[in-house]
Amino acid sequence: MSKLQTDVVVLGAGPAGYVCAIRLAQYGKKVICVEEDNLGGTCLNVGCIPSKAMISAGHFMQSVQHAADMGFTVGKPLLDMSKLVAWKDGIVKRLTGGIGMLFKKRKIEWLKGSAVIQGANTVEVTTADGKVTVEARDLVLATGSEPATIPGFDFGDLVWSSTEALQPTALPASMFIIGGGVIGMELGMMYAQLGTEVTVVEFMDQILPGADPELVKVVARKAKKQGVKIHTKAAAKSWKKHGSGVQVQAEINGKLQTFDAECILLTTGRKPRTAGLGVEKIGLKPDKHGFLEVDAQCQTRTPHVYAVGDITHGPMLAHKGSAQGLVAAGAICAKGGVAWDHKVVPAVIYTDPEIAWVGLSEAEAKDKGIETKIGRFNFGANGRAMSLHSTDGLVKVVTNAADDSVLGVHMVGPNVTDLIAEAALAIESGLTAEDVALTIHGHPTLSEVLMEACEDVHGMCVHAAK
Ligand code: NAI
């Protein structure tokens, strides 16, 4: 068995692990990153990036349907699924190749294999060429998450996870989606736009639980327009093969109903990948869901062992993992003042229209006993949104009535996943609604909607008549 020594070993090369590895190398550490699959993790290979590429294809189909409004006569586009998948794979390859290049330039060693912890300083990696022992002063766990199943619904040819849904060989004529959360709604709307008949069952009383109901209403309305059938307070109970497709039994408002579809897409959440990693050998015990507890420096209770990304509590988001990766790298290299703060983690959901928010909701602020003032502005009154043929949506600003500070911003509408960055900066910097309102925003831009919503907090919105 060969032996390697390094300063830090990072397990997992997703957005939490690879970002941490690069930052450590920037600080002058010798780093080995162990990854059994391609570099980039779920995000780049089978998550954020490929889904957004496929979602762009859905938007293209939507635009074509509205082409007549702009004077174009076009026929129904024919989709060659293999070409769409190949285009999407090309994007993935470019990005994952980019990480490989960055690793090389920074002299980070990628050890391709699966790791099991042997002790606080030792990891055993099974590679294609045999076992390798890696010894390091610090260990960063960034092993990510995987799709979770529910009883009776194991993944297979007819029960897809998001991974299969991003690698279709043909467009399914119909799809039954279990779980109307982020993945279910993003991919469900994409498939509906491409032409699949989509049915969604969601356990809770609204799709996208956790998002402000005022925003969700806009997406639910659009989904319905695109033919997506949504059943809330509904739970899938069982399924069987039926012809070449599936038959699903679901309980909706207490009554059993039967649905036929070509396949099932199961999107009922993801679970952290901590099982089998050997964390118990270094005195750690994941909670009953598999998460590891970390402190503000992302250090576990075992000194020199850090955990970042989906295996820690909080939202399973690539940007949260990357931010934690930077914190852990800073802590390992004794850079002062680094701490993980979950107050300003934007949520970005690529439904049609998109949803994004950051900071507190109105309800959360009230729960904390804060008296709030709210400002709103609709994309329907924004010139740029009209010129983009995309006016569904609104921006809602939640402020502290006592000092006008921005507590939260909630958006639904065109490109809000980009626009939310300004709101995150406002909260992070402790700005007031007046600060944002006084900032000159380019015209005509979608960003004016946030400025107008901040004006509305003070009842001074120029482009809305109350
Ligand atoms: P999720 O937690 O967002 O949604 C799962 C949904 O399934 C929930 O609404 C839940 O109520 C429902 N559900 C559970 N059991 C059910 C049953 N038996 N019948 C009907 N409904 C049931 O999980 P999802 O969508 O699988 O996503 C996993 C993770 O990936 C999330 O943490 C999400 O934030 C993250 N993600 C983020 C993206 C983004 O930021 N744009 C994109 C994709 C995923």
Side-chain angles (χ1 to χ4, degrees):
M1 189 186 301
S2 57
K3 218 175 205 186
L4 295 172
Q5 276 197 323
T6 187
D7 294 332
V8 189
V9 60
V10 179
L11 304 190
Y18 88 73
V19 167
C20 183
I22 291 175
R23 182 51 56 90
L24 286 163
Q26 286 173 322
Y27 285 147
K29 291 282 178 191
K30 195 175 163 206
V31 185
I32 291 178
C33 184
V34 184
E35 169 59 63
E36 58 192 353
D37 218 317
N38 293 331
L39 299 177
T42 298
C43 169
L44 267 72
N45 291 287
V46 289
C48 317
I49 297 297
S51 64
K52 267 76 258 182
M54 302 280 281
I55 286 167
S56 290
H59 288 179
F60 175 77
M61 284 291 238
Q62 279 292 294
S63 308
V64 171
Q65 278 170 23
H66 296 302
D69 301 345
M70 293 182 189
F72 293 100
T73 304
V74 283
K76 191 171 184 285
L78 286 178
L79 171 64
D80 180 336
M81 187 57 92
S82 63
K83 282 196 178 154
L84 171 57
V85 169
W87 172 71
K88 178 262 306 176
D89 287 343
I91 296 169
V92 169
K93 208 168 159 201
R94 243 181 298 156
L95 285 170
T96 53
I99 300 174
M101 192 267 294
L102 290 172
F103 270 21
K104 256 193 205 133
K105 289 245 150 101
R106 301 266 175 212
K107 301 197 169 34
I108 297 166
E109 187 177 341
W110 170 19
L111 192 56
K112 192 166 172 121
S114 66
V116 178
I117 298 163
Q118 302 297 332
N121 308 92
T122 318
V123 165
E124 187 184 276
V125 183
T126 307
T127 72
D129 303 320
K131 289 194 191 298
V132 180
T133 299
V134 185
E135 282 178 0
R137 178 177 172 271
D138 294 282
L139 171 60
V140 180
L141 309 177
T143 48
S145 62
E146 60 195 359
T149 53
I150 54 172
F153 290 81
D154 291 334
F155 294 121
D157 288 350
L158 294 171
V159 182
W160 293 1
S161 72
S162 49
T163 303
E164 288 77 34
L166 294 171
Q167 208 62 32
T169 49
L171 185 70
S174 54
M175 178 182 275
F176 187 86
I177 299 182
I178 307 174
V182 182
I183 301 182
M185 288 314 297
E186 284 189 0
L187 297 185
M189 291 189 87
M190 178 271 285
Y191 269 105
Q193 289 166 350
L194 294 182
T196 301
E197 210 175 277
V198 173
T199 302
V200 179
V201 287
E202 165 53 49
F203 203 59
M204 308 297 278
D205 58 3
Q206 71 165 34
I207 53 165
L208 303 168
D212 185 320
E214 198 175 341
L215 311 185
V216 172
K217 249 188 227 161
V218 179
V219 170
R221 204 166 42 221
K222 188 82 177 275
K224 206 171 157 194
K225 250 195 202 166
Q226 292 172 355
V228 180
K229 294 187 185 74
I230 296 171
H231 301 276
T232 51
K233 291 191 195 152
K237 291 287 172 194
S238 62
W239 75 282
K240 62 179 183 192
K241 211 167 175 285
H242 183 61
S244 58
V246 295
Q247 190 165 72
V248 189
Q249 282 227 309
E251 194 178 305
I252 302 174
N253 283 317
K255 275 197 193 138
L256 270 188
Q257 287 191 35
T258 304
F259 298 86
D260 291 330
E262 210 172 292
C263 63
I264 294 168
L265 172 58
L266 184 66
T267 52
T268 50
R270 296 178 62 86
K271 57 175 185 200
R273 286 185 60 188
T274 44
L277 200 57
V279 291
E280 62 290 342
K281 288 190 205 136
I282 49 174
L284 297 177
K285 191 170 179 282
D287 72 10
K288 64 176 186 210
H289 303 292
F291 293 105
L292 287 173
E293 200 72 54
V294 289
D295 65 14
Q297 270 68 48
C298 297
Q299 190 167 204
T300 64
R301 76 165 91 111
T302 303
H304 296 290
V305 178
Y306 295 78
V308 291
D310 287 2
I311 57 170
T312 67
H313 290 101
M316 288 182 165
L317 297 170
H319 45 278
K320 171 233 178 190
S322 297
Q324 287 184 314
L326 297 178
V327 167
I332 290 167
C333 299
K335 303 284 168 192
V338 288
W340 166 243
D341 177 8
H342 63 269
K343 200 176 101 194
V344 191
V345 181
V348 287
I349 306 180
Y350 294 79
T351 42
D352 178 19
E354 296 174 352
I355 285 183
W357 74 86
V358 62
L360 298 182
S361 68
E362 206 178 336
E364 285 165 345
K366 282 203 175 116
D367 281 351
K368 286 178 183 278
I370 305 172
E371 201 191 318
T372 57
K373 271 191 167 178
I374 307 294
R376 281 189 182 74
F377 195 78
N378 289 328
F379 280 97
N382 174 269
R384 182 65 183 134
M386 285 184 210
S387 70
L388 290 168
H389 207 305
S390 189
T391 52
D392 289 334
L394 74 139
V395 168
K396 183 171 160 185
V397 176
V398 182
T399 61
N400 188 331
D403 61 7
D404 196 40
S405 59
V406 180
L407 299 174
V409 175
H410 303 259
M411 303 175 157
V412 57
N415 295 8
V416 297
T417 53
D418 290 313
L419 298 179
I420 201 68
E422 183 185 356
L425 183 63
I427 299 174
E428 185 73 53
S429 315
L431 300 186
T432 61
E434 187 183 26
D435 292 326
V436 179
L438 284 175
T439 304
I440 300 174
H441 288 65
H443 175 78
T445 61
L446 296 171
S447 70
E448 291 171 280
V449 177
L450 178 62
M451 176 183 73
E452 300 261 18
C454 285
E455 290 277 35
D456 189 51
V457 172
H458 316 115
M460 296 300 282
C461 184
V462 170
H463 294 99
K466 277 266 152 92

